[in-house]
Amino acid sequence: MEAAMGLMRRMPPRHSETTLSALLSLLPGHASDLLSQVDLPLQVLSDVDSGKKFILCEYNRDADSYRSPWSNKYHPPLEDAPYPSSKLRQMEIEANDIFTVYCEQYYEGGISSVYMWEDDNEGLVACFLVKKDGSKTGQGRRGYLEEGTWDAIHVIEVGPEEEITRYCLTSTVMLSLTTDDVSSGTFSLSGSIRRQMNMNLPVADGHLSNMGKMIEEMEAKLRNSLDQVYFGKTREMVCNLRPPNEVVQMRLPTS
Amino acid sequence: MAEEETELSDQQKKGIAKWFLINAPAGEIQYVAKDLKSVLKDDDVYNEAAAVAFPIYNKSHLIYLKMPGGYGDVLVTSYGELQDNEYLDPKTAQVVIVDHVKQVCKRVRPATDEELPSPYIEEYRYALEAELLKYAAEAYPKGSCAVYCTNGKDVEGPGSDFEFVVVISAARNSPHNFCNGSWRAIWNIEFRDDIQVLELKGKCQVGAHYFEEGNVQLDAKRECSDSTMFQGPDDTATAVVHLIRRHENEYMASLEGSYFDLSDNTFKELRRKLPVTRTLFPWHNTMQFNLKREIAEELRIGELHDIKRA
């Protein structure tokens, strides 16, 4: 299993789906481990009622059907399927509305979904998902990207409600971007990172507010990490391979 | 989805194994091989797959190996391939026999006259390579390069066309820092005797992989072309390397530029650093938000029934 995860970390992130299906066919006995530890780019369906898109994941799936956070219906329809309690569904609706606004602010578009359910320890689990297509044919506003996707999955385990409640967040971001022009050729970066964050927060502030702030903080950290550390390291490597010529004119930053 | 998984055939396993090996990032095939063997649990299938996959990987990554006897490095590339495991090193006029899977040189022998170009061609090739070596020593401190004649190696004198390929390969492996990378450049040079012009076509490919608690890969490539006059060996060598140096410098600058833009502009296409308001999201305003929604809901309830199912 460790070897399988090692392979996941080395294969090009663009091929993560192929890598995972290759591993699943070689290690059928480890299927549930692999599926829970490996994240793949998010898939999307359209809600039958409103046509609004929603994101598919393990947390809104039952058998081969997926529950929409907009209509609360399973696609395709399913008998005897699990639903959140009506109280939780209220919170889920509110979370979806607010998260949509948050995504509009940060992602200038994109698709978002939130799913909630009660867990065995009298707490709850919430999953916040975002999918953004930033390519110039998608929702990229500035037309820089030939291809660009950002997929974020945030799973928060909320401990049993006490004055100070425990929140455990596990976040994964997968992204890829490609620019392409005649003079500089094709430039492609892609990758994924996963981090965890635990906080004890006053329940009086409200679950949504607490979870929202954690996610916002986490996304900022991940974005920064990808930009400065990860992309930065690849840039450093390129400079090591071929030390830049000082005499060369640097392209001035476009404003 | 609890069906019985049918056992994969050896053929299928081999295909999967080859895929993993061929797609290993620069400098990482041995690590991938180790993990693959654990997952595959079938040494025979692995060995068969490796025998096919390693040569493909080695040649596409333009790996360079130390030659026995302290002669320096030899590039493993299709341009210098004489037979499956034999590669010409034009710099020292020797041929190495290589073990692809172990990625080492087993033996070295002098090249035969048939394997080498004619003196006329060699004059051009040698001059170009000498100039190239000077450039590469500066630009690619740990790299390797060579010039191969890929067409017309037996041309005796002026009056015929011939073709060279310049290969530059630089790799940096820092596995303890979780970072590996490679720079590969291939320049096709067509010597057109009829119009007395050299036509150059260059392709640069850069890759980098950083994988400390994550997995991020850079994959960049660019093609370009240029031309220069067909002159004597020394002048041609100077002119060609001058062009190569200029184009590669430009490419390096454009890569730097892409990275520069990334932080400020390109990344924004995916996610902004902050909302347009330049403040964090007002999560505490959910109460206000909730109120607005409740009012809107009450207005709608008259028209719609059962929007929420239990």
Side-chain angles (χ1 to χ4, degrees), chain B residues 44-94:
Chain B
D44 290 331
V45 165
Y46 170 77
N47 289 330
E48 278 178 53
V52 174
F54 268 86
I56 297 175
Y57 175 90
N58 290 340
K59 283 184 276 183
S60 86
H61 281 271
L62 305 176
I63 67 164
Y64 41 102
L65 303 172
K66 279 209 160 2
M67 283 195 284
Y71 292 107
D73 293 330
V74 58
L75 281 163
V76 173
T77 131
S78 54
Y79 305 109
E81 188 173 59
L82 299 170
Q83 279 186 71
D84 271 353
N85 299 319
E86 293 197 3
Y87 295 89
L88 171 69
D89 175 43
K91 297 194 288 291
T92 59
Q94 296 185 105

Side-chain angles (χ1 to χ4, degrees), chain A residues 18 30 32 37 58 92 131 148 150 155 203 206 209 216 220 222 234 238 240 246-247:
Chain A
T18 314
H30 290 266
S32 54
Q37 288 196 44
E58 280 307 290
E92 191 184 76
K131 186 172 183 73
W150 168 292
V155 181
V203 78
S209 177
E216 187 173 26
L222 292 178
T234 61
V238 175
N240 279 338
E246 292 86 356
V247 178

